[in-house]
Amino acid sequence: MKTKDSIPGPKAMRVINTMKKHAYDSTFMYSLVVSHGHNCIIEDVDGNKYLDFTSNIGACPLGYSHPDIIETLAQYSSNGTYKIAGQDFYCQEHANLAENISTILPEGFKTFFINSGAEAVENAIKIAYKKMGPLPGISCIGAFHGRTLGALSFTFSRPAQKHNFPEFPSKRIKFCTRDDDPEIDAAENLLKENKVAFILTETIQGEGGYNVASKKFISNLRKVATRYGVPLILDEVQSGIGHTGKWWAFEHYGIKPDIMSTAKALQIGATAFDKKFDPGQRSVLSSTWGGGNRIDMAVGSKVIDVIKRDKLLDNATKMGRILKNGLSELVGKKGIIDVRGLGLMVGVEFDSAVHRDKKLTELFKHGLLTLGAGQKSMRIIPPLIITKEQINEGLYIMHKVLMHV
C-alpha cells in the first residue's frame, strides 16, 4: 500500500491533538485517522492508503463502499425517520432483519435486537437469570464479553478492564484449547457441587488473543449443560456472521447453544435464544433504540443477503487457509510463538507485548492494518470479500516486517 514518509500527517495530527485535549484516550492502537475506504482499503485524512486486515474488528465484513451497501444507504438519504424507539414502535426493517437472521440461526430460535455486543451479552445473561434465578455464572479465564458491568463480570482478559469495578458472582474455568488439557472437565466438577445460572463462553476468544477452543472442551460444555439443566450461552459477537467460514463459530463444533449473542458484522447487537427460554412476559427485555436503528438494520440484513449470494463463507474458508498457511511459516522465527485461528480469524502470538506492539506500528507504517489481542497476540480479521491477491500482498508485508529485527 502507498503511504507517505511522514505518518501521521498534518491533518491526522490535528485530529489526534483535538481528541487528546477533549476526549478520553481509550484504546487507540496507532495514529490512523480514517477518512474513507473502498473494497479492503482504508484511506486516512492525509491520503495514505492501507490494506485493512481488521475489518474494524469484524464490523465491516463487506469492506468499504460495497455497492449493495451504498445502494441501501442511498435509500435512506431522504428518510427523516431513520431512527425510532424500536421496542415501542414497529418498522419494516426490524421485521426484515428478524426474518432474515432466522434463516441462519438454529431452528426454533427467536431474536431480540439491541444496540451493541455488550448489550447482547447482558440480555443473554438476563434471559438465563430469568429462567434459573440469580445464581453465579460460569465463564472462562481469558474471556471478553463486553465492558458494561454485567458483561464485565464475566470478562477476564486484562486487569485494566476490571480493576475496582463491582461484579456479579461468577465461577471461572480454564478455556481449554487442547483435548488433553487436564482441566477440560472443570465445568462438570463445578456443577456437581454448585447451582449456577448459566455457562458462558466464546468458541474463539476475541480480545483474549484469538485462542481456539478444543472440540472436546466445547462438546463437554454442551453435554454437562444439558445434563445439569443449565443454559449454555455462546458469545458470537466477534466471530459471528461468517468470519470463521461458517455463519457461527459454534458450527465448527457440531453443537448449538441455548442462548447466544452477536453484533459487529450484523451492524447492531442481537440476543438469540431457543424459544423455550422466551421470558414469556412483556417488558422483561427492552431497549430504547434496539430495533430502532433502521439504517443499521437494513444494512445488517443486506450483509446477510450478500454473504449468501456471493458465497463469502466459502471465500472466508479458502482465503483463511492461504492466510494461516502463509503465517505459519513464521512460527519459531523472530519471536513468533504461534499462529492459530479459523477461517479469516487468525491470531499471531509473539514472545512479548512489547515486541507485538512494535510490529503493529511497523505494519501500520508499511500500509497494513492489524490489531492487538490478549496479552501479546496480534489479531487478523480481513473483510470476507478479501481476494487471494490481497492476502498475498498482506503476507508479503508481514513477512517483510515480522522477519526484520
Side-chain angles (χ1 to χ4, degrees):
M1 285 292 98
K2 180 66 174 175
T3 59
K4 300 173 183 176
D5 293 335
S6 179
I7 298 178
K11 293 180 181 178
M13 280 309 305
R14 284 196 290 272
V15 173
I16 292 167
N17 289 336
T18 299
M19 286 288 291
K20 288 186 174 181
K21 182 177 180 181
H22 298 287
Y24 171 63
D25 190 15
S26 182
T27 56
F28 301 104
M29 295 295 296
Y30 32 63
S31 52
L32 173 65
V33 179
V34 176
S35 174
H36 57 276
H38 179 79
N39 192 265
C40 296
I41 308 300
I42 285 179
E43 187 167 332
D44 75 5
V45 292
D46 292 290
N48 297 301
K49 294 181 180 180
Y50 303 88
L51 179 59
D52 180 27
F53 269 23
T54 75
S55 60
N56 278 277
I57 320 184
C60 300
L62 304 183
Y64 308 97
S65 302
H66 191 285
D68 289 271
I69 302 304
I70 293 297
E71 182 181 354
T72 301
L73 293 174
Q75 294 170 9
Y76 288 86
S77 62
S78 60
N79 189 328
T81 54
Y82 59 88
K83 192 170 187 177
I84 63 173
Q87 299 297 330
D88 296 299
F89 303 106
Y90 294 105
C91 66
Q92 187 66 54
E93 295 81 7
H94 198 160
N96 290 348
L97 184 56
E99 184 177 40
N100 211 356
I101 197 172
S102 72
T103 66
I104 62 173
L105 287 169
E107 186 176 355
F109 267 47
K110 299 177 77 171
T111 311
F112 172 67
F113 296 122
I114 48 279
N115 304 301
S116 67
E119 287 179 86
V121 173
E122 291 277 345
N123 282 280
I125 63 179
K126 282 173 69 177
I127 289 169
Y129 282 140
K130 187 68 176 175
K131 180 82 169 179
M132 305 296 291
L135 299 166
I138 295 176
S139 64
C140 292
I141 296 168
F144 185 87
H145 298 295
R147 293 174 181 267
T148 51
L149 288 177
L152 187 63
S153 296
F154 304 100
T155 287
F156 204 78
S157 55
R158 284 193 287 168
Q161 297 163 351
K162 297 176 68 69
H163 181 64
N164 270 6
F165 294 130
E167 296 187 44
F168 292 167
S170 63
K171 296 183 180 297
R172 305 200 194 281
I173 59 173
K174 184 178 180 181
F175 183 86
C176 298
T177 58
R178 301 191 336 266
D179 286 350
D180 61 353
D181 193 300
E183 296 186 48
I184 205 156
D185 295 317
E188 182 165 22
N189 295 334
L190 274 174
L191 288 168
K192 285 177 181 177
E193 300 180 2
N194 300 272
K195 290 184 177 181
V196 302
F198 53 83
I199 300 171
L200 168 62
T201 187
E202 303 150 281
T203 49
I204 301 179
Q205 289 187 327
E207 176 68 18
Y210 276 28
N211 305 308
V212 181
S214 86
K215 291 197 172 182
K216 185 177 180 181
F217 177 65
I218 296 298
S219 176
N220 281 4
L221 292 185
R222 178 65 278 175
K223 288 175 182 176
V224 299
T226 301
R227 185 179 305 137
Y228 289 89
V230 174
L232 174 63
I233 304 172
L234 295 183
D235 184 340
E236 293 268 2
V237 167
Q238 190 168 155
S239 58
I241 317 292
H243 294 296
T244 67
K246 295 184 182 292
W247 286 110
W248 312 107
F250 67 75
E251 294 180 84
H252 290 276
Y253 295 82
I255 60 102
K256 69 176 185 177
D258 298 302
I259 307 167
M260 59 180 284
S261 59
T262 190
K264 295 193 184 296
L266 193 63
Q267 309 304 301
I268 66 171
T271 304
F273 51 92
D274 191 298
K275 289 178 181 178
K276 67 184 179 183
F277 288 95
D278 191 315
Q281 179 185 359
R282 287 169 61 86
S283 300
V284 171
L285 307 177
S286 190
S287 167
T288 301
W289 303 118
N293 290 299
R294 298 178 68 190
I295 297 175
D296 288 341
M297 288 190 297
V299 172
S301 193
K302 182 59 68 173
V303 165
I304 294 173
D305 291 340
V306 172
I307 291 173
K308 288 179 178 178
R309 184 195 70 200
D310 295 348
K311 298 180 172 56
L312 294 182
L313 299 184
D314 290 341
N315 192 61
T317 299
K318 293 172 184 175
M319 296 304 105
R321 188 179 299 121
I322 296 170
L323 175 62
K324 189 176 175 184
N325 287 344
L327 290 172
S328 293
E329 297 173 5
L330 305 180
V331 175
K333 304 174 184 177
K334 305 294 185 180
I336 296 175
I337 305 300
D338 188 29
V339 170
R340 53 185 177 258
L342 290 173
L344 284 172
M345 288 185 71
V346 178
V348 180
E349 185 174 350
F350 290 78
D351 54 359
S352 70
V354 171
H355 186 188
R356 185 269 315 273
D357 292 346
K358 180 175 182 287
K359 293 303 179 182
L360 281 173
T361 301
E362 289 179 9
L363 288 169
F364 166 61
K365 291 183 176 180
H366 280 77
L368 182 67
L369 303 181
T370 58
L371 287 169
Q375 299 299 320
K376 49 190 175 72
S377 296
M378 176 187 295
R379 72 181 108 187
I380 302 167
I381 181 170
L384 303 181
I385 62 168
I386 196 92
T387 65
K388 183 178 179 180
E389 291 72 24
Q390 290 168 325
I391 290 288
N392 285 333
E393 180 180 359
L395 284 172
Y396 172 79
I397 296 171
M398 295 191 80
H399 277 248
K400 178 180 178 181
V401 170
L402 300 185
M403 289 298 96
H404 185 267
V405 177

